[in-house]
Amino acid sequence: MTIVLTFICNAGLNLLLGLMVAGLLGPAEYGRFAVASMAAILVSTALFDWLRLSTTRFAGGGAAPGASLKASLEAGYGGLALLVVGLSLLAHAFGLGVAGVPVVVVAIMAVANARFEFRAAEARALFRNRTYLGLVVSKNVLALVLAVAAAHLLASAAWVIAVLALSAVTAALTARASLDREPAPLSAARRSAIAAFARYGLPIVGANLVYQVIILVNRGVGAEALGLAAAGQLSLATDLTVRLLLSVGAALDAFLFQLAVRRRAEDGEAAGHRQVASNMLIVGAVLCFLGTAYVVALPALQALFIPAAYRGAFGELSAILVPGMVAFCFVQFGLNPIFQLSGRTGILMGSALAALAADLALVWLLSPWAGAAGLALAHTGGLLAGALAAAWPAAKARACWPSGRDMLAVGLAAGAMAAVGWPLRSLDAPWLALAGAGLLGSLAYGGVLIGLDAGGLRRRLGRQLTRTGAVLRAGDAKMEAR
């Protein structure tokens, strides 16, 4: 649970940092910062993320990885880092930049971020919770202090990016004592291992990039065919919906996937399959809860938090997008582990391409006459098609799925939540509607899951209450004895 909470706090602190930097730099300079930092993230994801993914899969299980495996991962990172920095220096010699920021600064940020994510993934894989917490805390504290100071004193996007890179590298160095206990000289690295990491991780990276292309295509079509205002309305609905579901799903996955890897390593393949099934039920239940709650609360959320120019369209577009986004996140954090544990990650690229093909077909059919709602429908349709393309081969691994009874319980719980909360959408007091829907909806959702004993939830709660009662009775007995 420490890993999940730390992951969520990290996302919140990054949002806070972005808001503070935006306020200090001003719109123009922050625009440079946003473009250049996004370029660094894209480079880091495209070139280095397969190493992070390989770390969580092959360096997991709770035990320290062997010298050869660790050296191979380090060699892969080091070689790519030298390549990126070398190419950026060459580009810098020709005066190239990204939105006015020197390209070498962007490259250093990409390498630094990749290093931090690599070490954070290693800490999660080894269940070094304190190390992971230290990494996140030190990076965010340094980033807040240094980036805010640079933005205030220098008012320069390049300097803010540079100090953010420094904070990431410094935080990564703090984990050396915990993560580098066993020597792993680069001479122990194996090309075959690096090739295996690439075969495992690159299809996942490629699939994620394809999903980004879907968003870019829909926004581009919206801007071209419907105007920038419609594209902006679609973008806000898409960004907020996907961030809500992705951030929570990713926080769960940061712990649950490592737990499945550990079960497989310690107790065998069958135990790993059972853990994946349990994880899938948890992920599905949380995503269905969030998706249903979000749709029910949309009128109140619009009234309270959404700028007036976006209201109306935001609620309509978000409601259309939610089913597709829930399906997408379920694939990412519920189905993908089946293929990751078996090493069949190429399937993920196939499902992403199926989503892209369906989206393009639906955009062609719907965008001329259905407006922004048509593009939202195309996006949802594409994501649902991608989910079906992933579910078909995943269905063969029956041992990795929860029971049909448990999945039905989750669906009934979502229906009960919607039935209880829907009448509150018409209330004129948005805070009251939001609080009422949250309270009554949560009680309905949890009540159905407990009543139907989804995933043995009622039995687990009963055992927990019994243990708690025993502890309290023991405490009372000690007090009476005194």
Side-chain angles (χ1 to χ4, degrees):
M1 190 55 67
T2 301
I3 289 177
V4 176
L5 294 176
T6 304
F7 198 98
I8 293 174
C9 289
N10 182 49
L13 290 170
N14 283 333
L15 176 62
L16 174 63
L17 175 63
L19 292 173
M20 294 178 70
V21 169
L24 291 168
L25 286 181
E29 198 64 21
Y30 182 73
R32 283 196 187 87
F33 169 81
V35 173
S37 59
M38 179 56 69
I41 291 171
L42 288 175
V43 171
S44 179
T45 300
L47 295 183
F48 293 94
D49 211 40
W50 60 281
L51 288 166
R52 178 187 65 81
L53 292 164
S54 297
T55 301
T56 61
R57 173 60 184 90
F58 299 108
S68 179
L69 188 151
K70 184 175 176 63
S72 299
L73 288 168
E74 291 284 3
Y77 172 83
L80 284 173
L82 289 174
L83 177 64
V84 170
V85 173
L87 290 176
S88 70
L89 290 172
L90 181 63
H92 183 70
F94 287 94
L96 298 179
V98 179
V101 176
V103 69
V104 68
V105 175
V106 175
I108 289 173
M109 183 180 187
V111 171
N113 282 343
R115 186 61 181 175
F116 173 81
E117 293 296 339
F118 177 69
R119 297 301 260 176
E122 192 174 359
R124 294 197 303 269
L126 299 176
F127 289 88
R128 306 273 171 82
N129 293 353
R130 290 185 179 180
T131 302
Y132 181 63
L133 178 62
L135 275 166
V136 172
V137 169
S138 58
K139 175 180 177 289
N140 281 290
V141 169
L142 283 170
L144 278 171
V145 173
L146 296 178
V148 168
H152 177 67
L153 298 175
L154 303 172
S156 165
W159 273 106
V160 171
I161 290 173
V163 298
L164 286 176
L166 177 62
S167 67
V169 170
T170 303
L173 289 174
T174 64
R176 291 185 64 184
S178 174
L179 300 179
D180 297 335
R181 296 173 183 173
E182 302 295 332
L186 290 180
S187 59
R190 300 197 319 270
R191 291 182 185 176
S192 59
I194 297 173
F197 299 152
R199 287 193 299 271
Y200 169 81
L202 287 178
I204 305 176
V205 175
N208 290 335
L209 291 176
V210 169
Y211 284 114
Q212 293 298 316
V213 169
I214 291 174
I215 294 176
L216 291 175
V217 166
N218 292 350
R219 290 183 181 180
V221 171
E224 183 68 24
L226 306 173
L228 291 175
Q233 290 173 336
L234 179 65
S235 297
L236 182 65
T238 303
D239 288 347
L240 292 186
T241 304
V242 75
R243 283 183 183 179
L244 168 68
L245 295 167
L246 266 182
S247 60
V248 176
L252 288 172
D253 186 66
F255 172 73
L256 292 176
F257 180 69
Q258 298 304 156
L259 193 58
V261 173
R262 187 174 193 171
R263 290 285 181 270
R264 181 186 174 98
E266 293 180 351
D267 302 320
E269 186 175 3
H273 288 169
R274 289 193 296 271
Q275 187 62 53
V276 170
S278 177
N279 294 354
M280 189 186 298
L281 182 62
I282 293 171
V283 168
V286 171
L287 290 176
C288 283
F289 174 85
L290 288 174
T292 306
Y294 188 59
V295 172
V296 168
L298 272 173
L301 292 173
Q302 277 197 127
L304 292 170
F305 302 112
I306 303 303
Y310 295 88
R311 291 174 191 167
F314 176 84
E316 178 190 7
L317 298 175
S318 296
I320 295 171
L321 288 165
V322 163
M325 295 300 182
V326 169
F328 166 71
C329 291
F330 184 71
V331 171
Q332 294 291 305
F333 311 120
L335 299 184
N336 280 12
I338 296 175
F339 308 119
Q340 290 174 267
L341 287 177
S342 63
R344 297 181 297 151
T345 53
I347 293 172
L348 307 179
M349 189 65 181
S351 67
L353 291 174
L356 176 60
D359 179 81
L360 292 174
L362 290 169
V363 165
W364 181 73
L365 288 171
L366 296 173
S367 64
W369 57 271
L375 292 174
L377 279 169
H379 198 167
T380 282
L383 294 177
L384 289 173
L388 288 174
W392 182 262
K396 298 177 182 178
R398 189 65 192 89
C400 294
W401 286 76
S403 70
R405 181 183 179 280
D406 287 341
M407 291 190 287
L408 177 61
V410 171
L412 291 174
M417 183 182 197
V420 168
W422 205 264
L424 299 175
R425 289 165 58 95
S426 59
L427 290 179
D428 292 330
W431 279 113
L432 180 60
L434 192 61
L439 177 61
L440 295 177
S442 298
L443 289 174
Y445 196 89
V448 171
L449 291 183
I450 293 172
L452 296 177
D453 197 26
L457 180 59
R458 188 171 64 236
R459 295 192 299 274
R460 293 179 187 180
L461 287 175
R463 288 195 296 268
Q464 184 61 48
L465 289 174
T466 300
R467 285 195 294 267
T468 302
V471 171
L472 292 176
R473 287 192 296 271
D476 291 341
K478 288 182 179 179
M479 292 294 292
E480 291 175 3
R482 292 177 182 175

